[in-house]
C-alpha cells in the first residue's frame, strides 16, 4: 500500500499521459475488470475540463482552426502545460507561444498574435477595478508641469503589436460578423485593450501611439515618452493623442514629479 | 467590516430551507431584471477570484437581493499536502466581502504537486487520509472563522486499500472537525450505482442533524464494456430515482436548503426555475405533512 502522497503523485502524473495508466497505479485500484476504464473517466475529465477553459478563453482561435483541431491542440496543451493557476479564469497564458511552436500551423502565422489578444481580453475582463482618469484630475496639473508627470496605465490596459491585421481578424471572427476576406498584406496593427467600466474595448492605434504608450507603461514621464516617440514619427501630435486616449480608460492616475507636488492647481480646494 | 452605507450587511444572510440554484453568468442580467422566485444562489468562489470586473460586480448586485452560498471546488481538502495558502486567503476575502450564509467544499482533492488539476479527484478512505482531511478541514475553518459543510463526492473508481466506508468517513470527519455535511443525493446515487454500494444504507448512516444543505443534479449513463457507469455531469434534469431519495431524506431529516446544480448544457433561466420550483414543492409538502402530524 502506498502512502497518500505517493498515491496522489502517481494519480496526478497519470492524468497527463495517454495510453495505459502505470501498473503501479492500477495495482492500487479495485480490480473489477474495469479499473483502467474507470481511471480513464478522470483522465478524460481532466483534459475536457481544462480544455473547456481554453475554449472559453480562445473563441477566435477555435473559429480559425476549427473545433476538431482546437480540441487536439487543447489536449496537447493541457498535457504539456497543466494549470499552474489556482483558478481556471486565466488558464492558458502560454497558449500563444505554444501555437507559435507548432509546425503544422506555420501557414497561419498570425495565430499566436490572435491568442495574445484573446488572453489580453480575458486578463482585462478580470483586471482590478479602477476608474478612468477624469477631467478634474487633469485640471489639477499646472500646464507647465504636465511634461514631467507620469500617466499611470489602467490595470486592464494591454497593447498587442502585430505584423498582421490583427484587429480585423479578431472582429471578423466575432459571432454574427459578416464573412470577409482579409489579406495579410494589409499589414501591421496595434490593438489597444481597455476596460473603462465592465466592458472590454478594443481599438487600433498607430505605431507612434503604441511607442508612446510603451514608454509610459515603462514608467517614463510624458516628456520622456514623447521624445522616444518622435524618433518613430517626427510628426507625432501629443495633443491629438491625449484628445483620444487621456480619458478612454487607457490611464487611471497621474503621478506628479516630486518637485511639482506642492504647486498643484487646486481649483476646488476645500478647507 | 462593511461601513454604514454599503449595500451588504456584515451579518451573513442565512440560506433558508428553500430551493435555490447555481448562479450562472449567462443568467446574471435576467436575474437582476426579473428577480425570479429562487430562494438563494450558490457560486463556486473560484469563478470570482479575479481581481475585479464584471463577475464580482454582478455577484455583488445579486447578493443584495438573494442569500448566497459559496461552494468551493479548489480547496483540495483531501490533499496529502499543506493546503494552498494563497487559495485560502482568496476564499477568506470572498467570505468577508459577500458574507455567504453557507460555505462548503467537496471530500476530494484537486491540487497535485506544482500544478492544479481543477478536477474533483477520488480519495482513498483510510486512517491516514482521515487524519489529513480532518486537519485540512480544521485549517479551512480556522482561516474562515466559521464551520464549513463537506460534500460527499461522486466517484468512478475505488482504491483497493480503502478500509472506511465513504459515509462513515464523512460522518467521522464532520464530528471530529466540527464541520457539517452537504448531502448531494445525486452523488450518493451515482457513486452507489458505480460501486455497487447500498444506497439506503449509505443514506441511513448520515445523521440528519449534520446535514446543512442538499444538492440535486442530473447525470448521464455511459456504457463501459457492457457495464453502466453513471457520470455526474450536472447537465440534465434530476432523475426520478433521485427525487424519490430526496423525498425520503426530507421526511427523515426535515426541511433543508436544497440546491439545483446545472453546470453543463445550461438551460434558460425559466427551465432552471421550474426545476427549483419542483424541489420547492417537496419542501413545502413536507411542511404540510409535519403540520398535519403536529395537529
Amino acid at each position: 500500500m502506498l502512502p497518500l502522497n505517493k498515491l496522489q503523485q502517481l494519480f496526478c502524473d497519470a492524468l497527463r499521459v495517454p495510453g495505459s495508466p502505470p501498473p503501479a497505479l492500477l495495482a492500487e485500484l479495485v480490480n473489477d475488470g474495469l479499473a483502467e476504464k474507470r481511471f480513464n473517466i478522470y483522465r478524460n475529465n481532466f483534459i475536457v475540463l481544462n480544455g473547456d477553459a481554453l475554449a472559453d478563453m480562445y473563441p477566435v482561435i477555435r473559429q480559425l482552426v476549427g473545433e476538431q483541431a482546437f480540441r487536439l491542440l487543447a489536449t496537447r496543451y493541457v498535457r504539456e502545460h497543466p494549470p499552474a493557476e489556482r483558478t481556471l479564469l486565466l488558464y492558458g497564458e502560454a497558449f500563444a507561444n505554444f501555437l507559435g511552436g507548432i509546425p503544422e500551423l506555420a501557414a497561419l502565422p498570425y495565430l499566436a498574435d490572435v491568442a495574445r489578444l484573446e488572453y489580453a481580453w480575458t486578463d482585462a475582463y478580470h483586471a482590478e477595478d479602477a476608474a478612468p482618469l477624469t477631467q478634474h484630475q487633469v485640471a489639477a496639473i499646472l500646464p507647465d508641469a504636465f511634461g514631467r508627470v507620469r500617466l499611470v496605465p489602467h490595470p486592464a490596459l494591454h497593447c498587442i503589436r502585430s505584423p498582421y491585421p490583427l484587429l480585423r481578424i479578431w472582429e471578423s471572427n466575432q459571432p454574427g460578423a459578416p464573412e470577409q476576406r482579409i489579406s495579410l498584406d494589409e499589414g501591421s496593427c496595434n490593438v489597444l485593450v481597455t476596460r473603462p467600466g465592465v466592458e472590454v474595448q478594443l481599438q487600433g492605434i498607430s505605431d507612434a501611439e503604441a511607442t508612446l504608450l510603451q514608454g509610459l507603461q515603462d514608467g517614463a514621464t510624458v516628456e520622456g515618452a514623447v521624445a522616444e516617440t518622435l524618433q518613430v514619427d517626427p510628426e507625432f501630435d501629443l495633443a491629438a493623442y491625449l484628445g483620444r486616449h487621456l480619458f478612454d480608460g487607457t490611464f487611471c492616475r497621474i503621478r506628479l514629479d516630486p518637485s511639482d507636488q506642492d504647486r498643484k492647481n487646486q481649483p476646488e480646494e476645500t478647507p | 467590516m462593511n461601513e454604514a452605507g454599503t449595500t451588504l450587511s456584515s451579518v451573513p444572510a442565512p440560506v433558508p430551507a428553500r430551493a435555490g440554484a447555481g448562479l450562472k453568468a449567462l443568467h446574471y442580467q435576467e436575474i437582476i431584471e426579473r428577480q425570479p422566485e429562487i430562494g438563494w444562489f450558490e457560486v463556486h468562489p473560484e469563478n470570482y477570484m479575479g481581481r475585479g470586473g464584471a463577475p464580482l460586480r454582478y455577484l455583488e448586485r445579486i447578493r443584495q437581493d438573494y442569500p448566497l452560498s459559496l461552494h468551493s471546488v479548489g480547496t483540495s481538502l483531501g490533499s496529502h499536502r499543506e493546503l494552498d495558502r494563497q487559495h485560502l486567503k482568496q476564499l477568506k476575502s470572498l467570505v468577508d466581502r459577500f458574507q455567504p450564509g453557507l460555505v462548503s467544499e467537496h471530500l476530494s482533492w484537486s491540487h497535485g504537486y506544482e500544478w492544479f488539476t481543477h478536477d474533483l479527484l477520488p480519495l482513498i478512505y483510510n486512517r491516514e487520509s482521515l487524519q489529513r482531511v480532518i486537519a485540512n478541514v480544521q485549517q479551512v475553518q480556522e482561516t474562515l472563522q466559521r464551520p464549513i459543510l463537506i460534500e460527499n463526492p461522486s466517484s468512478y473508481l475505488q482504491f483497493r486499500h480503502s478500509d472506511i466506508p465513504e459515509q462513515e468517513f464523512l460522518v467521522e470527519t464532520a464530528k471530529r472537525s466540527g464541520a457539517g455535511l452537504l448531502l448531494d443525493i445525486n452523488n450518493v446515487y451515482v457513486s452507489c450505482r458505480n460501486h455497487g454500494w447500498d444506497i439506503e444504507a449509505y443514506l441511513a448512516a448520515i445523521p440528519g442533524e449534520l446535514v446543512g444543505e442538499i444538492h440535486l443534479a442530473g447525470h448521464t449513463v455511459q456504457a463501459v464494456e457492457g457495464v453502466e457507469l453513471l457520470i455526474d455531469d450536472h447537465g440534465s434534469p434530476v432523475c426520478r430515482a433521485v427525487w424519490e431519495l430526496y423525498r425520503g431524506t426530507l421526511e427523515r431529516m426535515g426541511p433543508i436548503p436544497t440546491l439545483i446544480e446545472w453546470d453543463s448544457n445550461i438551460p434558460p433561466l425559466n427551465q432552471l426555475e421550474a426545476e427549483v420550483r419542483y424541489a420547492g414543492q417537496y419542501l413545502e409538502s413536507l411542511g404540510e405533512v409535519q403540520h398535519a402530524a403536529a395537529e
Side-chain angles (χ1 to χ4, degrees):
Chain A
M1 184 175 86
L2 291 173
L4 190 60
N5 61 345
K6 291 277 185 296
L7 179 59
Q8 292 191 342
Q9 173 139 42
L10 201 56
F11 200 100
C12 254
D13 290 346
L15 290 176
R16 286 174 66 181
V17 186
S20 284
L25 176 60
L26 288 176
E28 294 292 317
L29 307 182
V30 167
N31 183 8
D32 63 348
L34 296 176
E36 189 171 335
K37 306 276 180 207
R38 289 172 180 270
F39 174 77
N40 286 346
I41 295 175
Y42 288 99
R43 188 166 60 186
N44 186 52
N45 277 354
F46 167 67
I47 297 292
V48 170
L49 193 76
N50 291 292
D52 283 349
L54 285 179
D56 286 347
M57 169 137 8
Y58 296 107
V60 174
I61 298 290
R62 208 165 135 197
Q63 177 94 359
L64 288 169
V65 302
E67 187 64 26
Q68 214 180 351
F70 186 87
R71 282 292 160 178
L72 290 171
L73 290 166
T75 299
R76 203 171 134 186
Y77 181 82
V78 171
R79 287 189 178 129
E80 286 176 24
H81 303 269
E85 301 80 358
R86 289 172 183 86
T87 80
L88 283 171
L89 299 180
L90 290 174
Y91 174 52
E93 189 172 11
F95 198 54
N97 286 342
F98 167 84
L99 292 176
I102 301 219
E104 293 88 333
L105 296 176
L108 310 172
Y110 45 85
L111 279 188
D113 284 346
V114 173
R116 274 181 202 106
L117 179 57
E118 295 205 278
Y119 187 85
W121 192 100
T122 303
D123 187 67
Y125 182 76
H126 292 295
E128 205 180 306
D129 297 312
L133 215 52
T134 61
Q135 302 269 5
H136 182 78
Q137 283 167 293
V138 173
I141 310 295
L142 292 169
D144 70 317
F146 194 76
R148 291 186 297 278
V149 303
R150 288 177 170 81
L151 297 173
V152 179
H154 190 284
L157 182 76
H158 290 270
C159 178
I160 309 293
R161 307 186 70 164
S162 171
Y164 306 104
L166 185 57
L167 187 56
R168 290 245 295 137
I169 295 172
W170 190 89
E171 283 170 348
S172 64
N173 284 285
Q174 294 306 301
E179 194 152 315
Q180 293 181 51
R181 290 198 72 81
I182 299 171
S183 164
L184 296 188
D185 299 336
E186 287 174 29
S188 67
C189 171
N190 308 299
V191 185
L192 182 72
V193 181
T194 54
R195 202 204 76 208
V198 290
E199 303 288 339
V200 177
Q201 297 175 4
L202 303 186
Q203 56 186 308
I205 60 173
S206 69
D207 284 343
E209 290 173 327
T211 305
L212 179 86
L213 193 56
Q214 187 61 58
L216 295 172
Q217 281 182 296
D218 292 345
T221 60
V222 170
E223 277 166 359
V226 168
E228 276 175 61
T229 308
L230 287 172
Q231 290 175 10
V232 174
D233 176 7
E235 311 280 286
F236 177 69
D237 179 352
L238 178 66
Y241 172 82
L242 294 175
R244 281 193 296 276
H245 296 294
L246 196 52
F247 304 115
D248 75 344
T250 301
F251 308 104
C252 65
R253 276 189 298 123
I254 299 182
R255 267 174 41 216
L256 284 176
D257 184 85
S259 66
D260 293 315
Q261 284 291 2
D262 300 330
R263 43 187 292 275
K264 274 194 293 184
N265 261 342
Q266 287 174 331
E268 289 172 26
E269 195 173 28
T270 45
Chain B
M1 208 163 300
N2 289 291
E3 300 295 324
T6 59
T7 46
L8 292 181
S9 156
S10 59
V11 178
V15 168
R18 292 182 57 199
L23 178 61
K24 296 287 138 196
L26 86 147
H27 298 149
Y28 286 154
Q29 204 60 50
E30 191 181 344
I31 290 167
I32 292 168
E33 283 161 16
R34 196 158 68 69
Q35 304 272 314
E37 268 297 310
I38 290 176
W40 49 285
F41 283 106
E42 181 163 283
V43 298
H44 297 316
E46 287 73 14
N47 291 341
Y48 297 86
M49 287 183 181
R51 287 154 285 151
L56 287 159
R57 189 107 36 122
Y58 278 116
L59 187 59
E60 200 129 71
R61 176 67 192 80
I62 290 168
R63 172 68 180 82
Q64 291 171 18
D65 301 327
Y66 295 92
L68 180 71
S69 159
L70 292 187
H71 183 48
S72 183
V73 289
T75 310
S76 200
L77 291 179
S79 272
H80 71 87
R81 51 176 289 157
E82 286 262 297
L83 297 184
D84 184 81
R85 285 177 187 278
Q86 183 61 32
H87 184 276
L88 277 183
K89 213 173 121 190
Q90 284 177 287
L91 183 60
K92 166 81 168 132
S93 85
L94 286 170
V95 167
D96 288 346
R97 177 167 174 185
F98 290 99
Q99 296 294 328
L102 295 169
V103 180
S104 54
E105 176 58 280
H106 304 78
L107 179 64
S108 69
W109 60 285
S110 58
H111 189 183
Y113 282 76
E114 59 283 8
W115 50 279
F116 299 81
T117 67
H118 297 306
D119 195 10
L120 300 169
L121 299 174
L123 187 61
I124 185 170
Y125 299 131
N126 59 20
R127 285 287 128 199
E128 185 193 8
S129 61
L130 182 64
Q131 300 301 338
R132 188 72 245 177
V133 171
I134 291 168
N136 287 346
V137 172
Q138 284 167 337
Q139 192 189 347
V140 174
Q141 296 184 142
E142 276 160 28
T143 306
L144 301 184
Q145 291 291 302
R146 58 186 289 165
I148 62 169
L149 303 176
I150 303 161
E151 178 179 350
N152 59 295
S154 56
S155 64
Y156 311 110
L157 61 73
Q158 295 183 81
F159 293 97
R160 241 176 73 203
H161 302 291
S162 275
D163 53 14
I164 305 174
E166 182 173 286
Q167 60 275 29
E168 277 176 36
F169 194 100
L170 282 159
V171 171
E172 190 69 11
T173 302
K175 286 186 170 160
R176 286 170 55 187
S177 65
L181 295 177
L182 192 174
L183 181 61
D184 187 316
I185 296 179
N186 182 61
N187 286 356
V188 173
Y189 183 76
V190 164
S191 295
C192 287
R193 286 278 303 269
N194 285 345
H195 305 312
W197 300 341
D198 179 340
I199 299 180
E200 295 298 335
Y202 189 114
L203 287 170
I206 307 287
E209 65 272 16
L210 287 181
V211 179
E213 179 181 343
I214 288 176
H215 273 184
L216 301 173
H219 58 259
T220 50
V221 181
Q222 214 177 74
V224 175
E225 301 188 352
V227 180
E228 278 189 353
L229 288 180
L230 306 192
I231 308 294
D232 176 37
D233 61 357
H234 299 179
S236 54
V238 177
C239 79
R240 178 56 34 207
V242 168
W243 283 121
E244 281 311 307
L245 293 169
Y246 176 54
R247 180 202 304 279
T249 303
L250 288 184
E251 282 166 3
R252 184 161 72 83
M253 299 183 181
I256 292 172
T258 302
L259 183 86
I260 300 294
E261 281 185 302
W262 207 319
D263 297 313
S264 56
N265 306 318
I266 299 167
L269 185 60
N270 56 14
Q271 193 185 339
L272 183 60
E273 240 182 306
E275 195 81 340
V276 167
R277 245 194 325 270
Y278 196 65
Q281 286 168 9
Y282 281 87
L283 283 161
E284 284 154 24
S285 70
L286 180 78
E288 283 155 23
V289 170
Q290 287 190 336
H291 191 65
E295 283 174 1

